[in-house]
Amino acid sequence: KAGVTQTPRYLIKTRGQQVTLSCSPISGHRSVSWYQQTPGQGLQFLFEYFSETQRNKGNFPGRFSGRQFSNSRSEMNVSTLELGDSALYLCASRGTDYGYTFGSGTRLTVV
Amino acid sequence: GIQVEQSPPDLILQEGANSTLRCNFSDSVNNLQWFHQNPWGQLINLFYIPSGTKQNGRLSATTVATERYSLLYISSSQTTDSGVYFCAVATGNQFYFGTGTSLTVIP
């Protein structure tokens, strides 16, 4: 069965721009979470969606937002990009009775 | 949030050696997973182990939930085991990650 798919794999953006990242969970999984990984801060939780509703949100500014569609695919958006937003963004999906499965990530570079 | 501490932070092994990685956490959890991050950044799930012991080939893990720690054992290490190992715990729907153990296996 297909895993968690994140697109694009790599992205280069300029400061001030906005970006949208996509995550398709494992078929049948309704929970999708997003994490940011940076060398300085490690892996940090952004938010979690379940059945199109945000259930939990980490400590990130309002420039970071997300949504989930009826087919469980999720997008996250970062507006007014800053250099510090350069990171690996990881998405994870979860079914009803097992742990989380992560995608390959999107590596965002802000220049 | 929950504090997760992993030790050691760095580990260098000769191929064929055994190792134990430790994860301590500060509160009760309903989920604990061990991940290996590959060179491309993907977190590969090794074990879903909120309690008890599991084994998968050369890897095994034990979580003692009442004492708030988990151990990952790697036996007969191979160069392909190199990388960063993360412990992550969850209460509810949010993972808290440790800072990882960076393992280097030398031929």
Side-chain angles (χ1 to χ4, degrees):
Chain A
K1 99 184 167 179
V4 179
T5 303
Q6 290 188 246
T7 56
R9 290 295 307 278
Y10 301 93
L11 207 47
I12 300 175
K13 289 287 188 179
T14 304
R15 271 180 301 174
Q17 287 186 313
Q18 74 164 13
V19 67
T20 300
L21 312 182
S22 178
C23 172
S24 293
I26 291 172
S27 177
H29 285 191
R30 293 160 65 188
S31 167
V32 175
S33 306
W34 290 89
Y35 291 81
Q36 181 197 63
Q37 186 177 26
T38 60
Q41 299 298 318
L43 281 149
Q44 293 186 287
F45 172 75
L46 281 156
F47 27 66
E48 189 249 358
Y49 286 87
F50 182 87
S51 294
E52 302 179 66
T53 300
Q54 186 181 88
R55 288 202 297 193
N56 204 356
K57 189 176 191 304
N59 189 25
F60 278 81
R63 300 186 296 106
F64 291 81
S65 63
R67 58 178 176 168
Q68 186 180 33
F69 302 95
S70 58
N71 62 358
S72 293
R73 189 178 72 85
S74 177
E75 289 181 346
M76 68 163 280
N77 183 277
V78 188
S79 63
T80 319
L81 284 165
E82 300 176 0
L83 295 179
D85 297 332
S86 295
L88 178 66
Y89 291 88
L90 291 162
C91 162
S93 78
R94 185 184 186 191
T96 56
D97 58 356
Y98 194 69
Y100 291 82
T101 301
F102 281 81
S104 299
T106 294
R107 194 168 295 276
L108 171 65
T109 301
V110 182
V111 298
Chain B
I2 299 175
Q3 305 302 311
V4 182
E5 294 181 356
Q6 290 187 244
S7 60
D10 300 282
L11 189 57
I12 300 175
L13 296 175
Q14 202 75 39
E15 198 169 26
N18 303 328
S19 62
T20 301
L21 282 56
R22 187 177 179 101
C23 171
N24 293 332
F25 46 97
S26 63
D27 206 343
S28 299
V29 300
N30 58 19
N31 183 5
L32 187 148
Q33 288 181 248
W34 283 95
F35 296 94
H36 178 211
Q37 189 163 40
N38 68 21
W40 298 272
Q42 185 173 8
L43 290 169
I44 307 298
N45 179 54
L46 298 175
F47 292 102
Y48 167 68
I49 187 164
S51 64
T53 298
K54 291 186 178 180
Q55 180 155 7
N56 184 4
R58 297 180 297 103
L59 302 181
S60 64
T62 295
T63 297
V64 183
T66 53
E67 297 187 24
R68 298 180 186 166
Y69 74 89
S70 182
L71 302 173
L72 176 69
Y73 305 96
I74 304 174
S75 64
S76 304
S77 58
Q78 301 176 357
T79 56
T80 52
D81 295 332
S82 295
V84 182
Y85 290 80
F86 287 99
C87 167
V89 303
T91 175
N93 305 307
Q94 175 178 346
F95 257 146
Y96 296 88
F97 282 85
T99 52
T101 291
S102 178
L103 173 65
T104 303
V105 180
I106 301 170

